[in-house]
Amino acid sequence: MLDINRIKEVIPHRYPFLLVDKVLEIVEGKKAVGIKNVTFNEPFFLGHFPDYPVMPGVLIVEALAQVGGIVMSNGESSNHKLGFLTGIDNCRFKRQVKPGDKLNLVFDVTRIKGQIVKGKGVATVNNELVCEAEIMFAFSSI
């Protein structure tokens, strides 16, 4: 399990763009399960939408991608490597995510070829499907 401090050591994202609060399970290079606690004070709710707050779908996909980056971190600091998003396929949204929801994020690696990693991300709330997508990254030294 990784808490927020450990997550910040592993991936370079920071507030307001760090979208994973905790990692419950990690099998290095294969799978990770994370959580995003969605609260009303998230900055995106100021404009999306003021009278009907809904988490933007693109941020749900970003949260899944961050869990994918954690999977590939090997539990070590990634100060020397960044994962750049190179593709999103078969992305579907099934339910809205609202303040108070606990977003469960699962990323399963399906293929690794050199610096390219592809996996399937699934987001749920209360075991109800929110989003699923195939996500691809290119990891690069900086």
Side-chain angles (χ1 to χ4, degrees):
M1 186 167 80
L2 305 178
D3 66 11
I4 192 66
N5 293 316
R6 186 71 181 106
I7 291 168
K8 286 169 44 179
E9 292 174 8
V10 172
I11 60 174
H13 303 77
R14 296 295 179 264
Y15 178 85
F17 226 70
L18 180 55
L19 299 173
V20 182
D21 294 322
K22 185 184 286 188
V23 174
L24 302 175
E25 175 187 343
I26 186 167
V27 178
E28 295 171 5
K30 295 186 186 289
K31 178 182 180 176
V33 179
I35 291 176
K36 165 67 178 155
N37 293 304
V38 182
T39 63
F40 185 71
N41 62 349
E42 307 279 358
F44 49 80
F45 285 134
L46 291 173
H48 199 270
F49 301 98
D51 296 329
Y52 190 81
V54 176
M55 185 174 182
V58 68
L59 294 182
I60 296 168
V61 174
E62 173 63 24
L64 287 167
Q66 288 180 18
V67 172
I70 292 167
V71 169
M72 298 310 298
S73 70
N74 295 321
E76 298 176 7
S77 173
S78 62
N79 290 337
H80 59 285
K81 280 195 172 187
L82 289 177
F84 293 96
L85 192 63
T86 58
I88 302 168
D89 294 317
N90 302 314
C91 184
R92 296 290 180 263
F93 298 95
K94 304 293 186 178
R95 178 193 187 279
Q96 296 173 353
V97 176
K98 299 179 180 182
D101 285 343
K102 181 168 83 173
L103 190 59
N104 294 292
L105 306 158
V106 178
F107 190 91
D108 284 298
V109 174
T110 57
R111 186 173 45 142
I112 301 173
K113 186 173 182 180
Q115 297 296 316
I116 305 295
V117 175
K118 188 170 186 177
K120 180 169 183 179
V122 176
T124 60
V125 171
N126 296 326
N127 294 318
E128 196 176 330
L129 183 62
V130 168
C131 174
E132 57 187 344
E134 295 170 13
I135 302 170
M136 192 164 43
F137 311 90
F139 284 86
S140 178
S141 297
I142 55 171

